[in-house]
Amino acid sequence: AQSVAQPEDQVNVAEGNPLTVKCTYSVSGNPYLFWYVQYPNRGLQFLLKYITGDNLVKGSYGFEAEFNKSQTSFHLKKPSALVSDSALYFCAVRVAGGGSYIPTFGRGTSLIVHP
Amino acid sequence: DSGVTQTPKHLITATGQRVTLRCSPRSGDLSVYWYQQSLDQGLQFLIQYYNGEERAKGNILERFSAQQFPDLHSELNLSSLELGDSALYFCASSPGTGGEKLFFGSGTQLSVL
């Protein structure tokens, strides 16, 4: 089975401090990994993806994620958090099924940035 | 704005009823995905259509069905509704079947009373 886990339901960080939202995955073969963000009353928005190449991937709004194959992790990071970053963050891994590739999402991590 | 339109935004109905959720994908996107989001289950994949044909099926109940029409809009039909079907239902679209970047609608909040 292929899956993704987000071990923290909630992450609290002070504005201006670095943030990390954790994600680990389990997949057969090479993973395609993604981060999405969900603001209140909105759908998910794509932040970034890792397919191959450089282990550090840069995405929207100053976010980046580091792929670590040995630890099967894909943690989301940002050097300096903003209050406006407060949202629900989802990690996803692409799985194959019937000739199609369906992203499987983690349960989400609520990021709260305090002023 | 993702370009994906879902209607209605809110739906309140009773147990045993049937409802239809509608999704218009982003212009040019051929794939439509349906997901169910609930507090206890997280974001669960239901079903995917590509250019009118079913391509993948996830944790979709037999009481649920979907289709994609020639104009590429999609409908998710939920019947014999139960309290546990209350959830936020998302539609997402992408150009192909690679699943590399999905564009999500704002969702339909279904409340079954």
Side-chain angles (χ1 to χ4, degrees), chain A residues 49-102:
Chain A
K49 68 180 177 183
Y50 170 83
I51 295 177
T52 187
D54 193 348
N55 288 344
L56 186 63
V57 179
K58 294 188 183 299
S60 306
Y61 312 121
F63 284 93
E64 58 189 26
E66 185 169 13
F67 171 67
N68 188 316
K69 188 172 183 177
S70 63
Q71 298 186 2
T72 61
S73 67
F74 188 57
H75 300 333
L76 182 69
K77 300 180 180 182
K78 187 174 183 181
S80 178
L82 299 172
V83 172
S84 58
D85 292 330
S86 298
L88 192 57
Y89 289 81
F90 290 90
C91 182
V93 63
R94 194 188 78 172
V95 299
S100 188
Y101 298 92
I102 307 301

Side-chain angles (χ1 to χ4, degrees), chain A residues 32 34 36 38 41-46 49 51 88 90 94 97-107, chain B residues 1 33 35 37-43 45 48 55-56 88 90 97-106:
Chain A
Y32 284 23
F34 312 88
Y36 285 78
Q38 183 182 23
N41 302 313
R42 300 289 295 277
L44 280 69
Q45 297 177 37
F46 175 87
K49 68 180 177 183
I51 295 177
L88 192 57
F90 290 90
R94 194 188 78 172
S100 188
Y101 298 92
I102 307 301
T104 294
F105 288 82
R107 296 182 63 84
Chain B
D1 183 12
Y33 307 74
Y35 284 85
Q37 185 180 36
S38 60
L39 287 177
D40 56 341
Q41 296 290 330
L43 199 61
F45 168 69
Q48 181 211 12
R55 290 301 297 265
L88 188 53
F90 283 112
T97 59
E100 294 182 15
K101 183 175 181 179
L102 270 57
F103 296 85
F104 282 79
S106 297

Side-chain angles (χ1 to χ4, degrees), chain B residues 37-109:
Chain B
Q37 185 180 36
S38 60
L39 287 177
D40 56 341
Q41 296 290 330
L43 199 61
Q44 296 287 314
F45 168 69
L46 296 178
I47 197 164
Q48 181 211 12
Y49 280 82
Y50 175 77
N51 203 20
E53 294 188 359
E54 181 183 308
R55 290 301 297 265
K57 187 175 280 191
N59 300 321
I60 188 167
L61 300 172
E62 288 191 7
R63 300 184 285 108
F64 296 0
S65 64
Q67 56 184 327
Q68 186 179 28
F69 295 86
D71 67 353
L72 301 177
H73 91 271
S74 179
E75 292 181 356
L76 179 65
N77 300 296
L78 314 176
S79 62
S80 302
L81 285 168
E82 302 175 359
L83 295 178
D85 297 327
S86 296
L88 188 53
Y89 291 84
F90 283 112
C91 166
S93 73
S94 67
T97 59
E100 294 182 15
K101 183 175 181 179
L102 270 57
F103 296 85
F104 282 79
S106 297
T108 294
Q109 180 66 58

